[in-house]
Amino acid sequence: MFGLLNRWLGLGEGGLIEGEILGINMRNALIQKYNPRHAIERARDKVAAKRALEAAGIACTGTVAVLEDHQQVADFKPSRDMPDAWAIKPARGSQGDGILLAVRREGNTWYKGSGAALPEDMVMHHIQKVVDGGFSGDSAAEDAALIEPLIIADPALSRIVPEGLPDLRVISLHYTPLMAMVRLPTIESDGKANLHQRAIGAGIDMETGRITRAVVKGTPITHHPDTGVNLIGFEIPGWKRVLELASRCGPAVGLGYCGADIVLDVNDGPLVIEVNAHPGIEIQNICQAGLKSRIAATGEDFR
Amino acid sequence: MIGRVGQIWANATPQVRRPFYIGLAVAAVLAVLVGLGVANTETFLALPSSFEGVASSQAIWGLKPSNLLMVLPLGSFLVVLARSFIGLKAFGLFTPMLIAVAFLQIGPVMGPVVLCSSVLVGMIVTPPLLKLRMTRVGFLGVLISLIVLVLAGLQQMLDTQLQVDAFPVIVCALCVERWWKQWGKDGAKPAAKMAFNTFALALMIEFVMVSDFALALIDWSPLLMPAVTGVAIAILGRYRGLRLSEIGRFAPIWLERRRRAKAAAAEAEALPDGVEEDRREGLPDTRRVPEPERVPQPEPILEPPRLPRRAAYRKPQFRPLHRSHGMVLAALAGRAPPLDGMWVIGSRDELRPGARRRVPQIDPDRGALPRPRLVASGGRTVAEWAEEWPDDELGGRPPIHNAWVIRRVEDV
């Protein structure tokens, strides 16, 4: 009777491997199997993840400072310690909450991309709020503020977007990159590379690094709506390096199944910004290919 | 329409069919149980005070108040089903069943009325409350007193006793809080959808709880219900196939593939004589449209073009530099001079047109670079916590540029 039930539920011999699309149930099972608790915690904390990545020799975005408690915040003076262009991120923030970007500096005043001024006390107030845990979900009472130099996108990529920083998402299982997409900001998405905010998701061919398909909110497109550049066939510069970085990210943090967020810097080429322990499955709709069949091709038995 | 659905169905893969059957089966069983529960309801509109001291769950459905606890295992079972087979997302795992308990205590119609009115009031007062910048505990406290205020007002208005105890009040307050958090995270529409799902799930749990089946199970032995649901969750909770909602979500993949296959098949079969245009639906459009002009693509270069033979070898001239020349000074200091305005060509590939060339980066004296500091005023430096920070003077690299320096055309 138990065997019958298992077969009916698709848990029998062939039932687990069959099929092409990875559903959320199966994704959760994979995460439970391969991503240990402590590694997920580490991936969630940007500072800890960055330390682990750098220890493994993976190129990450630079660091200006890490402010972990109020003592350090009190000793920090933006006019003395901050470069001309920077990004402040909460270590445990989610979905881009609490990220502040400055693109240029005049005297002791910085300016956001939109042109709004950021005087020194405003910067300090933001840092204070980050360290107080104001952007860190519900659980954390305290958080660390991570200050990084601003990343300027590779000109090949920044040419096709009106504003904002495009980023690549590569999903990999152990050392095998499985599927990749690039998220291109639009004016409608306010320069954010977030698919929910109508940024473009573009599927990338794993072998050649060329864009095969671009989607905005479920509608396929061929050209960027704001710049009019043809996206199909666009080749990501330094694709081999991207794959190499992506394949080493997960094991460096301790994750078996992960999604690496990679940006292309104008000077340093591909850099890892974040490793995600719970990567979404929307990428299948964007690449129009199933993750499950690719995972099965690596020899995974889904038990 | 039906034929079309049938056609799609015939082409569906087993990965789609199985979850569809399972989801439909789960939905059908739930619908039957809910129907039984609704049929079992004796009165819908009665107010709790009209039962003369008898608990409303007992008076309306014959469910003893001591058995209200049985809602919890049943509720969690139903939430698991709805979540992993159908894909309904609700506020948390426990909220729907807590709401269901509240509904059972107040009544099938009055329950939702009380819940909706108190949640509505909570939603209206939350924005000004958030502006006061209270802590979470303070916020919840204010919310609870407000909800009790609304409940007391409702009792006075309806001239009845709602028999509301502490439990539903807390549930209402938590609902409001969850709603606001979700709103802030995802926006109004997904949050409203989730709230609706929670509400629907709570109603479903309520009516499944009072169906003949569940009541008989409890009557038989109170131990039976938790045992049965526990075993059922343990078996069904291992389901790893697609959810019913995901079939719709990923349908474009299958549909697109089918369309392409069809197009490829149609292309293979030739058009009948005298027909030049193919305008059938779902097939590639072969109407004569002036083809868009092809964008000239740069031709791939297979091998670097052979360079003409250079002029005869000239012996490099030795030209002494002045003592104060930058290169001399740099050589004296034991470092290579900074290169600027030049390309560094490290390999043959970089000579190809369009290749990315490295601009020489002056490797400054790393010791003189200001180290990133954790604490600005002379605290720990990064090097103290990051062992991998290169500590040696030259960053582990020889001070020689291993490259060809090109200054003139003849150098190439």
Side-chain angles (χ1 to χ4, degrees):
Chain A
M1 185 212 147
F2 218 72
L4 198 77
L5 244 175
N6 270 352
R7 232 182 46 221
W8 188 70
L9 285 175
L11 289 168
E13 284 300 311
L16 278 169
I17 300 173
E18 82 175 22
E20 190 190 357
I21 305 295
L22 184 76
I24 210 91
N25 288 333
M26 184 56 98
R27 182 204 75 163
N28 290 346
L30 275 177
I31 287 172
Q32 204 177 11
K33 183 175 170 190
Y34 287 127
N35 293 359
R37 196 74 232 158
H38 66 92
I40 292 176
E41 284 300 321
R42 194 187 298 156
R44 206 168 279 167
D45 186 338
K46 286 199 183 75
V47 176
K50 205 164 178 180
R51 276 178 203 166
L53 289 171
E54 281 180 347
I58 293 170
C60 296
T61 50
T63 308
V64 174
V66 177
L67 302 174
E68 281 175 317
D69 52 43
H70 292 281
Q71 179 76 49
Q72 294 177 351
V73 174
D75 289 341
F76 190 78
K77 196 161 177 286
S79 63
R80 182 189 57 200
D81 303 324
M82 293 280 247
D84 292 353
W86 41 255
I88 299 176
K89 300 177 180 178
R92 315 183 124 266
S94 64
Q95 297 181 341
D97 256 7
I99 293 183
L100 187 68
L101 305 175
V103 295
R104 66 193 170 89
R105 174 180 188 170
E106 278 171 25
N108 279 345
T109 310
W110 288 267
Y111 291 89
K112 286 199 238 181
S114 60
L118 283 171
E120 194 172 2
D121 57 332
M122 228 156 121
V123 176
M124 265 332 270
H125 178 255
H126 187 83
I127 294 177
Q128 197 80 47
K129 198 171 170 195
V130 169
V131 175
D132 281 340
F135 300 107
S136 326
D138 41 2
S139 56
E142 278 209 346
D143 200 354
L146 177 62
I147 304 172
E148 295 180 345
L150 190 74
I151 294 165
I152 297 164
D154 189 297
L157 263 181
S158 60
R159 202 171 51 80
I160 62 177
V161 296
E163 52 174 341
L165 181 67
D167 74 339
L168 296 151
R169 158 65 66 87
V170 185
I171 296 201
S172 44
L173 184 71
H174 304 303
Y175 288 96
T176 319
L178 298 169
M179 197 175 277
M181 67 169 168
V182 56
R183 290 174 289 197
L184 303 165
T186 54
I187 288 176
E188 218 171 336
S189 78
D190 198 21
K192 296 193 174 76
N194 190 336
L195 296 184
H196 293 297
Q197 292 163 336
R198 298 190 64 90
I200 299 172
I204 303 174
D205 186 276
M206 291 304 281
E207 276 173 26
T208 59
R210 287 178 187 278
I211 292 178
T212 54
R213 195 165 177 276
V215 178
V216 187
K217 276 267 173 189
T219 16
I221 54 167
T222 54
H223 293 68
H224 195 290
D226 301 325
T227 57
V229 177
N230 187 6
L231 297 173
I232 310 298
F234 175 83
E235 188 177 344
I236 306 293
W239 177 244
K240 274 191 184 156
R241 178 103 179 98
V242 171
L243 285 185
E244 186 200 331
L245 280 183
S247 62
R248 283 160 56 205
C249 272
V253 183
L255 296 170
Y257 177 75
C258 71
D261 286 348
I262 295 173
V263 290
L264 299 176
D265 186 77
V266 59
N267 293 322
D268 302 332
L271 298 176
V272 177
I273 40 173
E274 205 179 331
V275 182
N276 202 318
H278 298 271
I281 53 176
E282 185 59 24
I283 190 170
Q284 299 178 104
N285 251 340
I286 283 164
C287 294
Q288 203 141 79
L291 263 174
K292 196 176 174 190
S293 51
R294 294 196 182 177
I295 294 175
T298 68
E300 170 64 41
D301 61 355
F302 299 105
R303 278 183 190 282
Chain B
M1 177 71 196
I2 292 171
R4 212 178 135 70
V5 170
Q7 205 182 4
I8 291 173
W9 196 237
N11 289 323
T13 57
Q15 201 201 0
V16 188
R17 270 189 221 185
R18 192 202 310 271
F20 192 73
Y21 286 141
I22 294 178
L24 272 194
V26 167
V29 168
L30 287 182
V32 167
L33 285 177
V34 169
L36 281 175
V38 173
N40 211 11
T41 310
E42 305 212 331
T43 161
F44 280 95
L45 274 171
L47 293 172
S49 60
S50 59
F51 301 130
E52 289 149 4
V54 185
S56 29
S57 58
Q58 170 97 50
I60 300 176
W61 298 292
L63 178 70
K64 278 188 226 128
S66 60
N67 284 337
L68 268 180
L69 204 61
M70 294 298 161
V71 175
L72 297 181
L74 184 81
S76 54
F77 173 61
L78 292 181
V79 169
V80 168
L81 280 193
R83 203 170 245 249
S84 66
F85 287 89
I86 299 175
L88 276 182
K89 271 202 184 132
F91 292 146
L93 182 58
F94 299 102
T95 320
M97 55 190 167
L98 294 183
I99 296 176
V101 173
F103 284 177
L104 284 172
Q105 282 184 348
I106 303 173
V109 176
M110 284 316 287
V113 167
V114 169
L115 180 97
C116 287
S117 52
S118 49
V119 168
L120 204 69
V121 169
M123 269 154 50
I124 291 167
V125 297
T126 304
L129 276 186
L130 285 179
K131 273 190 197 133
L132 293 178
R133 291 177 175 276
M134 270 184 292
T135 55
R136 177 174 180 248
V137 183
F139 174 71
L140 272 180
V142 177
L143 217 54
I144 285 175
S145 36
L146 257 172
I147 286 166
V148 171
L149 193 80
V150 171
L151 293 179
L154 269 179
Q155 292 196 1
Q156 284 205 339
M157 240 162 58
L158 300 169
D159 196 20
T160 182
Q161 271 102 45
L162 286 173
Q163 274 188 351
V164 182
D165 54 19
F167 192 58
V169 176
I170 310 276
V171 171
C172 286
L174 286 177
C175 272
V176 174
E177 207 210 2
R178 287 297 301 257
W179 156 263
W180 268 101
K181 222 183 253 171
Q182 207 66 35
W183 185 319
K185 221 172 106 191
D186 293 344
K189 219 169 143 193
K193 207 171 150 198
M194 251 170 122
F196 177 77
N197 283 347
T198 312
F199 184 70
L201 256 179
L203 274 181
M204 201 174 81
I205 294 169
E206 179 195 355
F207 283 115
V208 171
M209 185 62 211
V210 295
S211 64
D212 291 330
F213 178 72
L215 288 182
L217 211 62
I218 296 172
D219 255 1
W220 210 351
S221 159
L223 300 177
L224 221 49
M225 175 72 102
V228 167
T229 52
V231 171
I233 294 174
I235 293 173
L236 295 180
R238 291 168 62 229
Y239 177 67
R240 289 179 193 172
L242 294 181
R243 297 174 178 179
L244 202 57
S245 62
E246 281 171 346
I247 296 181
R249 182 176 169 190
F250 293 116
I253 299 181
W254 293 299
L255 292 181
E256 169 88 18
R257 196 159 298 163
R258 229 185 92 234
R259 230 187 59 224
R260 276 204 205 138
K262 214 171 165 186
E267 215 164 297
E269 78 180 48
L271 288 171
D273 284 343
V275 180
E276 289 180 346
E277 292 178 359
D278 187 357
R279 295 191 187 180
R280 282 174 292 167
E281 245 177 82
L283 295 178
D285 198 348
T286 60
R287 270 174 290 178
R288 295 260 167 99
V289 188
E291 283 210 354
E293 225 170 280
R294 286 197 54 173
V295 183
Q297 298 279 335
E299 282 178 19
I301 293 154
L302 295 176
E303 57 179 292
R306 293 189 59 162
L307 297 170
R309 269 192 77 83
R310 230 185 331 150
Y313 175 72
R314 261 185 310 155
K315 203 176 163 195
Q317 298 278 312
F318 177 73
R319 221 175 330 128
L321 293 169
H322 192 260
R323 233 178 323 146
S324 64
H325 193 279
M327 287 171 89
V328 177
L329 288 179
L332 285 176
R335 275 185 285 121
L339 303 172
D340 45 9
M342 279 178 271
W343 299 331
V344 174
I345 296 179
S347 71
R348 208 179 157 80
D349 287 346
E350 289 174 36
L351 272 177
R352 289 182 191 179
R356 289 167 53 77
R357 299 186 183 85
R358 278 181 301 136
V359 173
Q361 301 288 318
I362 303 159
D363 197 7
D365 193 356
R366 283 200 174 217
L369 253 188
R371 287 277 171 85
R373 283 171 187 283
L374 283 181
V375 182
S377 58
R380 290 186 295 155
T381 60
V382 175
E384 281 171 57
W385 54 262
E387 299 90 317
E388 62 276 6
W389 193 269
D391 228 348
D392 51 341
E393 198 69 3
L394 295 163
R397 250 182 278 164
I400 298 165
H401 295 290
N402 186 13
W404 304 334
V405 175
I406 300 173
R407 289 172 194 284
R408 279 183 301 260
V409 181
E410 295 96 81
D411 288 347
V412 176

